[in-house]
Amino acid sequence: MKFGLLSVITDFSIDPRELGRQAEERGFDSLFVPEHTHMPVHIESRRPDGGPVVPEAMQGLDPFTALSAIAASTSRLLIGTGICEVPTRDPIILAKQVASLDVLSQGRFLFGVGTGWVREELLNHGVDPATRTARLMEYLEVMRTIWADHEASFAGEFVKFDPIVSLPKPVQRPHPPILMGLTGTRALDRVTAARAEWMPMYGLEGEGLAERIAQLNEQAAELGLGQVPVTVVEVPPEEEAVARCMEAGVSRCVFTLPPGEREDVLPLLDWYTELSEQAEYL
């Protein structure tokens, strides 16, 4: 099993370039950056895990900008969005951003995607929250078309355009891995329908993780697909949680690094490194 990190990159925390180097030197496989374009002052939406909503602590640098800096300072570390709120973005522009970052990183990008859970944020982007999942699925098809075809065109419910040329194409073919950060009863159906990987939160799937992964792979087999890689984010830095992930067949455990200055973050990195090394003997 591989181990990664997820961290909000802020203007007051450790420089993302140094964070990337430190993660790579310690043997972590990946570094994910989440996103919120903004946080409305008045929020009635509840976090999926039921945690508190702290607008100032839930947003930072644009993930594609931060990941570009991390890519430039590393050579092996995989870099990913965790997650990109796809329905809030223009899929033609997003296809260009993903391809550009995959080129700049020489094929090290992981495209973590989701619908977004802050209804007020979606509305500020002109997105009806009721359409967010349908938009995610269609936007993924739009981007796949742009990445695959030299002259791409599309006609869907939300997106329509005549033939276009969008370059560069991603280094990874046919495109970077798509990791879907979805939960709920239909999450697995959507992962297999999109021919994607799954990226659940540990707090929402922890105790039932093994059963859910088995169900996911059964569904994939029925569609003639191979085993689906699973990246679990926000895994508690505890031996029991790591062992549960290993037993369930998780491909990658991702620990959360709270944003902070160098002297606060590096000791946590060392702790996570020790835990990931101990996992070899669990």
Side-chain angles (χ1 to χ4, degrees), residues 15-77:
D15 186 287
R17 291 163 291 194
E18 181 176 11
L19 178 59
R21 288 193 296 268
Q22 295 285 354
E24 186 170 80
E25 288 173 5
R26 286 166 172 77
F28 287 96
D29 135 273
S30 51
L31 176 56
F32 293 87
V33 177
E35 82 162 335
H36 286 287
T37 58
H38 66 284
M39 290 297 289
V41 173
H42 302 291
I43 302 174
E44 295 183 3
S45 303
R46 295 180 59 84
R47 281 173 53 100
D49 61 0
V53 176
V54 184
E56 291 78 10
M58 297 180 63
Q59 58 183 310
L61 275 62
D62 171 80
F64 288 92
T65 304
L67 292 170
S68 294
I70 295 167
S73 65
T74 57
S75 59
R76 302 182 307 278
L77 188 73

Side-chain angles (χ1 to χ4, degrees), residues 176-239:
I178 296 172
L179 288 64
M180 299 187 78
L182 301 178
T183 189
T185 56
R186 297 201 55 197
L188 305 185
D189 296 336
R190 287 162 179 150
V191 170
T192 53
R195 305 299 195 265
E197 301 180 13
W198 191 32
M199 192 179 191
M201 294 173 62
Y202 183 89
L204 297 179
E205 304 286 352
E207 293 187 3
L209 195 57
E211 181 180 347
R212 291 277 274 172
I213 290 176
Q215 180 184 351
L216 174 64
N217 285 317
E218 286 176 9
Q219 292 182 205
E222 290 173 0
L223 295 172
L225 306 175
Q227 187 167 347
V228 179
V230 176
T231 293
V232 179
V233 297
E234 299 188 13
V235 175
E238 304 164 355
E239 286 189 7

Side-chain angles (χ1 to χ4, degrees), residues 108-265:
R108 290 185 283 137
F109 182 59
L110 302 173
F111 191 25
V113 304
T115 61
W117 59 271
V118 182
R119 294 173 58 86
E120 296 84 353
E121 182 183 11
L122 290 162
L123 289 168
N124 287 347
H125 283 284
V127 175
D128 178 355
T131 68
R132 60 186 177 176
T133 301
R135 287 179 183 272
L136 169 63
M137 301 301 284
E138 182 169 305
Y139 288 9
L140 289 176
E141 286 303 310
V142 171
M143 289 184 280
R144 280 192 168 110
T145 300
I146 292 173
W147 294 327
D149 300 341
H150 179 67
E151 294 185 0
S153 60
F154 197 88
E157 181 181 359
F158 306 105
V159 183
K160 297 179 178 65
F161 54 85
D162 292 331
I164 64 171
V165 175
S166 178
L167 299 172
K169 302 299 185 187
V171 171
Q172 299 179 84
R173 303 303 292 164
H175 52 73
I178 296 172
L179 288 64
M180 299 187 78
L182 301 178
T183 189
T185 56
R186 297 201 55 197
L188 305 185
D189 296 336
R190 287 162 179 150
V191 170
T192 53
R195 305 299 195 265
E197 301 180 13
W198 191 32
M199 192 179 191
M201 294 173 62
Y202 183 89
L204 297 179
E205 304 286 352
E207 293 187 3
L209 195 57
E211 181 180 347
R212 291 277 274 172
I213 290 176
Q215 180 184 351
L216 174 64
N217 285 317
E218 286 176 9
Q219 292 182 205
E222 290 173 0
L223 295 172
L225 306 175
Q227 187 167 347
V228 179
V230 176
T231 293
V232 179
V233 297
E234 299 188 13
V235 175
E238 304 164 355
E239 286 189 7
E240 181 181 355
V242 172
R244 178 175 286 145
C245 287
M246 293 183 71
E247 292 168 2
V250 169
S251 310
R252 179 185 293 113
C253 268
V254 177
F255 301 124
T256 301
L257 270 178
E261 298 181 358
R262 187 178 192 275
E263 57 268 26
D264 300 318
V265 169

